[in-house]
Structure formats: C-alpha cells, structure tokens
Amino acid sequence: HFYLLGKCGESNDPGRYLCAFIYYLSLHHDKNKALFVHVPDENLIPIKEMTLALKSIIIDALNQLYNTDFKH
C-alpha cells in the first residue's frame, strides 16, 4: 500500500548509530509492536510525497495493531 512503491520497501537492516539503537530498543520493549521508519532527506523525496507515504505506513500499522480497516 505504499504510495512511493518504487522508492521504498522493507529492510532487515536498521542502519547504524542512532537508527539501530532506536530500533533495538523498540524490539526489546515489544517485538510484536515495533516499527521503525527511516525518513530520508527532503532532497531525495519531496515532503508532499513523503507525507503521503508516512500516512499510508501509519494507517497500515494501526490496521495491523487494532485488526481494523482504517481507510487511506
């Protein structure tokens, strides 16, 4: 359901430094409810497109968490 289908995707690599630390702490707290979204620089993806993509990611995450069907 990602808006930027060709520009984003899943990854098993949380990156290094702060990104990895935040992801690790999230998994440690609750591995069933952890999500890390790396937001790239606005020079790579325009803010309007990134906003729509983040909205889609948040809605999909809430649907999984609450077993509902919020609309995009």
Side-chain angles (χ1 to χ4, degrees), residues 1-6 9 15-17 19-21 23 32-33 35 38 43 48 53 63-64 66 70-72:
H1 292 10
F2 293 124
Y3 179 75
L4 301 170
L5 195 55
R16 294 186 174 37
Y17 308 108
C19 296
F21 181 68
Y23 186 57
N32 294 316
K33 296 179 184 175
L35 173 67
H38 188 146
N43 294 321
K48 184 175 181 178
N63 283 333
Q64 287 181 31
Y66 295 111
F70 293 112
K71 301 296 180 197
H72 288 262

Side-chain angles (χ1 to χ4, degrees), residues 6 12 19 26-27 29 36 42-43 46 65 69:
N12 292 324
C19 296
S26 297
L27 290 173
H29 179 71
F36 182 84
E42 66 186 61
N43 294 321
L65 183 63
D69 190 22

Side-chain angles (χ1 to χ4, degrees), residues 13-61:
D13 181 5
R16 294 186 174 37
Y17 308 108
L18 189 56
C19 296
F21 181 68
I22 292 169
Y23 186 57
Y24 171 80
L25 288 179
S26 297
L27 290 173
H28 181 71
H29 179 71
D30 187 343
K31 67 179 180 179
N32 294 316
K33 296 179 184 175
L35 173 67
F36 182 84
V37 178
H38 188 146
V39 179
D41 186 273
E42 66 186 61
N43 294 321
L44 297 174
I45 299 176
I47 291 176
K48 184 175 181 178
E49 288 183 48
M50 183 52 62
T51 302
L52 293 172
L54 287 171
K55 178 183 173 187
S56 179
I57 291 167
I58 292 167
I59 289 171
D60 285 347

